[in-house]
């Protein structure tokens, strides 16, 4: 016989659920830490963990502190930001497949970055590493400003705003294809490698570039109460005193900042913001208070593993990390969708 919980049992059930969530967060944190240690230890120059205890030689210290650690921290931050953006967008649009690339922000950032590379190659202009990043960031801000302006001017909210973002992404992809068509071999190779995603771009940028990124990420992680109200539905959120329009604009602007900085410093990296929140929801724990930090840890750990694979699969070079995340994420997501659909109701 199935037991039913009484109102007196609710505090016990809530405490038990909180304990399970804390254990899962601890496991995700340990997994991210293990992925970080693997990134620091493995590569073209293996550095066993035993050498860490006995002391590193000058070459090993230079490899870890100058090359691997900055790249690993970059992967951790980018993965966390993409996963958190996915959580926020899925709650805002009440769509479990929403992610930063779906609302057109990544497409706009990619378009201006590709345009900057194309113009520099065609006219023989020097393009520093920060030039592509700045162009991508400006593209993300322009798309976001356009979306916010249209949402206020035409009253687009919810699903209509999502469809508008999809249309902007399609238009950005079409214009990018035109630029690719008229590019020469040298510029085409540079553009395609950037569009496939690479953490090497972020390593060339100053450290202070990440300060606004981290501040915005921290702000989103602290907004779980407002996201929990939005998760109940627009009507319930309004009845509980939440002002939908300004709250939605702030969240979209924050997601644009994170997505734009990610595209600017690492190129196009897909499926992190889609797969990680979905995997955590399949565990039956979809509260924003848990989902936001768990997605940050899971996204950072997943991108660390993808970066390790991108550096290790080819002995003569490096695979774009965006290709690795797509190759891993797409089959996994298809399997999860088919399995969930096949389960009896």
């Amino acid at each position: 016989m199935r037991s039913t919980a009484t109102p007196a049992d609710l505090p016990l059930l809530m405490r038990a659920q909180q304990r399970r969530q804390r254990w899962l967060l601890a496991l995700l944190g340990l997994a991210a830490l293990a992925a970080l240690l693997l990134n620091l230890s493995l590569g073209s120059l293996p550095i066993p963990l035993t050498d860490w205890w006995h002391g590193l030689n000058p070459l090993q210290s230079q490899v870890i502190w100058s090359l691997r650690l900055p790249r690993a921290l970059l992967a951790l931050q980018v993965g966390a930001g993409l996963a958190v953006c996915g959580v926020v967008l899925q709650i805002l649009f009440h769509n479990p497949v929403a992610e930063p690339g779906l609302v057109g922000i990544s497409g706009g950032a990619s378009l201006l970055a590709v345009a900057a590379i194309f113009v520099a190659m065609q006219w023989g202009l020097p393009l520093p590493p920060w030039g592509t990043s700045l162009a991508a960031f400006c593209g993300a801000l322009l798309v976001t400003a356009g979306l916010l302006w249209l949402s206020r001017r035409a009253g687009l909210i919810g699903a209509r705003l999502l469809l508008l973002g999809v249309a902007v992404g399609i238009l950005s992809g079409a214009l990018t294809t035109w630029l690719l068509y008229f590019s020469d071999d040298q510029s085409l190779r540079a553009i395609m490698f950037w569009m496939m995603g690479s953490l090497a771009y972020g390593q060339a940028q100053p450290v202070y570039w990440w300060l606004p990124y981290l501040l915005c990420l921290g702000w989103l992680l602290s907004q779980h109460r407002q996201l929990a109200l939005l998760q109940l539905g627009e009507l319930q959120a309004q009845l509980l005193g939440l002002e939908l329009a300004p709250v939605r604009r702030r969240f979209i602007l924050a997601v644009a900042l994170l997505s734009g900085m990610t595209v600017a410093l690492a190129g196009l990296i897909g499926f992190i913001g889609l797969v990680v929140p979905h995997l955590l929801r399949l565990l039956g724990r979809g509260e924003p208070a848990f989902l936001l930090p768990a997605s940050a840890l899971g996204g950072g750990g997943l991108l660390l593993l993808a970066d390790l694979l991108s550096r290790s699969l080819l002995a003569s070079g490096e695979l774009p990390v965006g290709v690795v995340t797509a190759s891993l994420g797409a089959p996994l997501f298809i399997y999860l969708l088919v399995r969930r659909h096949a389960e009896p109701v």
Side-chain angles (χ1 to χ4, degrees):
M1 181 179 296
R2 182 178 299 177
S3 61
T4 58
T6 63
D9 297 329
L10 290 180
L12 295 176
L13 294 175
M14 292 180 62
R15 284 195 292 269
Q17 184 179 11
Q18 290 174 356
R19 285 195 298 269
R20 288 194 298 269
Q21 291 178 355
R22 285 194 292 266
W23 275 108
L24 187 54
L25 284 175
L27 290 176
L28 288 172
L30 290 176
L33 179 60
L36 178 63
L37 293 176
L38 286 175
N39 266 262
L40 297 179
S41 301
L42 301 180
S44 57
L45 176 64
I47 303 176
L49 293 178
T50 54
D51 290 353
W52 294 54
W53 300 107
H54 297 93
L56 301 174
N57 59 46
L59 177 60
Q60 291 175 331
S61 298
Q62 184 177 6
V63 168
I64 288 180
W65 298 109
S66 300
L67 297 177
R68 293 183 184 175
L69 182 61
R71 184 178 178 124
L73 293 178
L74 178 65
L76 192 64
Q77 295 174 73
V78 168
L82 288 174
V84 169
C85 285
V87 173
V88 174
L89 289 177
Q90 289 166 16
I91 293 176
L92 280 179
F93 296 116
H94 299 285
N95 192 326
V97 297
E99 55 102 18
L102 190 63
V103 295
I105 298 172
S106 298
S110 176
L111 175 60
L112 254 67
V114 169
I117 298 174
F118 177 83
V119 171
M121 291 290 185
Q122 293 296 319
W123 292 358
L125 300 175
L127 183 64
W130 56 264
T132 307
S133 300
L134 183 62
F137 184 63
C138 291
L141 289 183
L142 286 175
V143 170
T144 305
L147 289 175
L148 293 177
W149 180 79
L150 287 173
S151 66
R152 290 194 301 266
R153 185 68 179 264
L156 298 177
I157 60 174
R160 292 185 178 181
L161 186 61
L162 180 62
L163 291 176
L164 178 63
V166 172
V168 171
I170 294 173
L171 178 60
S172 301
L175 295 176
T176 303
T177 304
W178 278 105
L179 293 175
L180 291 174
Y181 181 80
F182 290 106
S183 299
D184 55 23
D185 291 340
Q186 183 179 2
S187 57
L188 183 62
R189 183 176 180 83
I191 290 172
M192 290 303 297
F193 188 80
W194 183 86
M195 290 182 66
M196 292 177 186
S198 173
L199 295 172
Y201 293 104
Q203 291 181 274
Q205 311 304 336
V207 176
Y208 60 78
W209 274 50
W210 286 102
L211 181 59
Y213 184 95
L214 292 175
L215 290 176
C216 187
L217 179 60
W219 180 80
L220 281 179
L221 290 173
S222 67
Q223 299 302 304
H224 56 87
R225 291 185 178 86
Q226 290 188 341
L227 288 171
L229 294 178
L230 288 172
Q231 200 173 34
L232 297 175
E234 296 183 357
L235 179 59
Q236 288 82 356
Q238 286 179 324
L239 291 176
L240 292 172
L242 189 67
E243 298 182 5
L244 289 180
V247 169
R248 187 181 289 112
R249 283 195 294 267
R250 286 196 295 269
F251 279 127
I252 292 178
L253 191 60
V255 168
L257 177 61
L258 287 183
S259 303
M261 287 287 290
T262 297
V263 176
L265 297 177
L268 293 176
I269 299 177
F271 281 98
I272 297 290
L274 178 64
V275 172
V276 173
H278 195 75
L279 282 173
L280 293 171
R281 282 195 180 92
L282 288 180
L283 297 176
R285 297 169 176 85
E287 305 89 351
F290 163 77
L291 200 57
L292 288 171
S295 296
L297 292 173
L302 182 60
L303 191 55
L304 280 171
L305 293 178
D307 183 50
L308 179 61
L309 290 175
S310 71
R311 294 188 291 109
S312 305
L313 291 178
L314 293 181
S316 59
E318 174 185 323
L319 286 173
V321 69
V323 176
V324 177
T325 58
S327 301
L328 294 176
L332 177 61
F333 190 66
I334 292 173
Y335 168 74
L336 291 173
L337 288 178
V338 172
R339 180 185 176 187
R340 189 174 185 182
H341 181 72
E343 289 178 353
V345 180

